[in-house]
Amino acid sequence: MSTATATGKIRVLIAKPGLDGHDRGAKVVARALRDGGCEVIYTGIRQTPEMIAEAALQEDVDVVGLSILSGAHLELFPRVVEELKKRGLDDVLLFCGGIIPEEDTEALQKLGFKAIFRPGTNTQDIVKFVYDNVKK
Amino acid sequence: MDELVQRFLAGDRRALARVITRVENRTLEGRDYVRALFPHSGRAHIVGITGGAGSGKSTLTGALATELRRREKTVAIIAVDPSSPFTHGALLGDRIRMQDVTMDPGVYMRSMAGRGALGGLAPAIADVVAVVDAFGFDYVIIETIGAGQDEVEIAGTAMTTVLVNNPGTGDDIQALKAGIIEIADILVVNKADHPGADVLVSQLQALLALSPGDQRRPPILKTIATRGEGLAALADAIDEHRAYLEASGQLAAHRAEDARHQLMAITQQLILEEIRKAAPEVVIATLTERIASRELDPHTAAEELAARVLPRP
């Protein structure tokens, strides 16, 4: 799977904004990306948009993946995007996953999310998505 | 001068993060950043925190950073986790235990994967440390799993090495015997509220009593990192060790030794790169096969390979 050499590894931040405490999905995705050869920074549950953006900046990640199950994505995701932009991180690849209704797809795409992965997704599709879309 | 370097020197944290990525990737460009920034380094106190998996290193590192911030010092944390030897991927989770400090503008925290770097992990870390040092942090904390040669070498970069132990893990003493204890300047018994903490402290004392009398005895401190207990004493012990290094002239000796290590490691790496350039992969593969099939011994094979860049005597 891994085509990258010791130089130029893809760095991915997997984060859970908001108050829901179920991070199995986030961990499964983190693990799949690790096995796909990425360097995955996992920050744990209950992250504020500021914490996520600050972690993305400090870790200089290429990709930010947000996981959410609480239904608060349309409140929280725009704030994450805003905090990222505030820090000049407008070139990171964004994707999200979790319990996200179909009707919210367009709103999230407009925010800059390049993909939405819902329950039942094959994790290999997520790995492929990352490798296909990161500008290296 | 490079725009990124200018932003870096002006204190832009994004520029710092970007420069670290380039340095970490060990590219030619990365070397140029080290070249540009190295003259600005040499002011920070470099602390190594090492200990087994689950010993509470990350929590302790976060709590130590909190204590140092209370003292109005700035702190950079470099947390190193292993890469998978098979996929080269890594899961870096140290930020989970450092939530309290990661939003503090006086703290910069970076997760680093081991990456099985050519020439070892230590030279790569040393470059990253030089870069964060150049940014102007008062303290740089390197956190590593204390399990082998890499850690001993990283301890060479750190001026003060803190070894984290836990009560109730009987094998600790065995691990200490294997040589890790010699690199420790401060011994910490973390999770000191767990049963067996005092027993471990006396075991460590007994072990230290065996070392020659003229040597500095590392202090043994009890901490409960999750509650921030014992952290003021740890920060004091780090500063005392720094003062001891300066007063005894060992700081200068340490810097010289570290410089020598880096010089030799980087030179070794440059020579390896030359060999890689001079020898196509097929040549290396053929030699490898011949060794594996016992047709050729590894020394003769290596001499053959090295001969591609070395003048014959």
Side-chain angles (χ1 to χ4, degrees), chain B residues 43-84:
Chain B
R43 286 171 299 178
H45 188 64
I46 320 292
V47 180
I49 296 194
T50 189
S55 59
K57 291 182 303 295
S58 301
T59 310
L60 190 78
T61 300
L64 177 62
T66 303
E67 175 61 30
L68 293 170
R69 289 298 294 142
R70 198 171 289 141
R71 300 175 183 207
E72 292 175 1
K73 302 292 184 190
T74 55
V75 187
I77 299 165
I78 300 163
V80 186
D81 276 329
S83 294
S84 157

Side-chain angles (χ1 to χ4, degrees), chain A residues 7 39-40 43 58-60, chain B residues 21 25 90 92 95 108 111 115:
Chain A
T7 59
E39 289 180 0
V40 184
T43 54
Q58 293 184 20
E59 300 287 358
D60 193 27
Chain B
T21 302
N25 286 346
L92 311 168
R95 296 190 83 90
Y108 175 82
S111 313
R115 292 193 182 180

Side-chain angles (χ1 to χ4, degrees), chain A residues 2 6-9 11 34-35 37-43 47 50-51 54-55 57-60 88-89, chain B residues 13-14 17-18 21 24-25 87-93 95-96 99 102-103 107-111 113 115:
Chain A
S2 169
T7 59
K9 301 298 288 182
R11 288 172 69 86
R34 181 203 73 177
D35 290 344
C38 297
E39 289 180 0
V40 184
I41 293 107
Y42 181 57
T43 54
Q47 300 286 296
E50 291 83 0
M51 286 163 91
E54 190 59 32
L57 179 143
Q58 293 184 20
E59 300 287 358
D60 193 27
L89 300 165
Chain B
R13 288 156 68 86
R14 176 112 204 265
R18 290 251 138 143
T21 302
E24 202 189 356
N25 286 346
T87 68
H88 307 293
L91 191 53
L92 311 168
R95 296 190 83 90
I96 299 174
Q99 307 280 358
T102 48
M103 285 307 289
V107 177
Y108 175 82
M109 194 273 172
R110 178 74 173 224
S111 313
R115 292 193 182 180

Side-chain angles (χ1 to χ4, degrees), chain B residues 15-167:
Chain B
L16 167 64
R18 290 251 138 143
V19 168
I20 292 176
T21 302
R22 285 160 170 75
V23 169
E24 202 189 356
N25 286 346
R26 319 283 298 151
T27 56
L28 291 174
E29 192 196 11
R31 287 178 198 168
D32 287 338
Y33 285 108
V34 177
R35 263 187 264 272
L37 298 169
F38 190 77
H40 299 272
S41 70
R43 286 171 299 178
H45 188 64
I46 320 292
V47 180
I49 296 194
T50 189
S55 59
K57 291 182 303 295
S58 301
T59 310
L60 190 78
T61 300
L64 177 62
T66 303
E67 175 61 30
L68 293 170
R69 289 298 294 142
R70 198 171 289 141
R71 300 175 183 207
E72 292 175 1
K73 302 292 184 190
T74 55
V75 187
I77 299 165
I78 300 163
V80 186
D81 276 329
S83 294
S84 157
F86 304 109
T87 68
H88 307 293
L91 191 53
L92 311 168
D94 290 305
R95 296 190 83 90
I96 299 174
R97 311 275 176 238
M98 300 182 191
Q99 307 280 358
D100 295 347
V101 288
T102 48
M103 285 307 289
D104 183 332
V107 177
Y108 175 82
M109 194 273 172
R110 178 74 173 224
S111 313
M112 246 182 104
R115 292 193 182 180
L118 185 69
L121 179 57
I125 303 265
D127 277 347
V128 172
V129 168
V131 165
V132 287
D133 182 350
F135 197 76
F137 291 101
D138 297 315
Y139 291 83
V140 177
I141 306 176
I142 315 165
E143 186 210 316
T144 54
I145 289 196
Q149 190 57 36
D150 264 345
E151 285 65 32
V152 175
E153 280 179 29
I154 290 161
T157 304
M159 297 158 181
T160 301
T161 298
V162 179
L163 178 66
V164 187
N165 307 274
N166 296 147

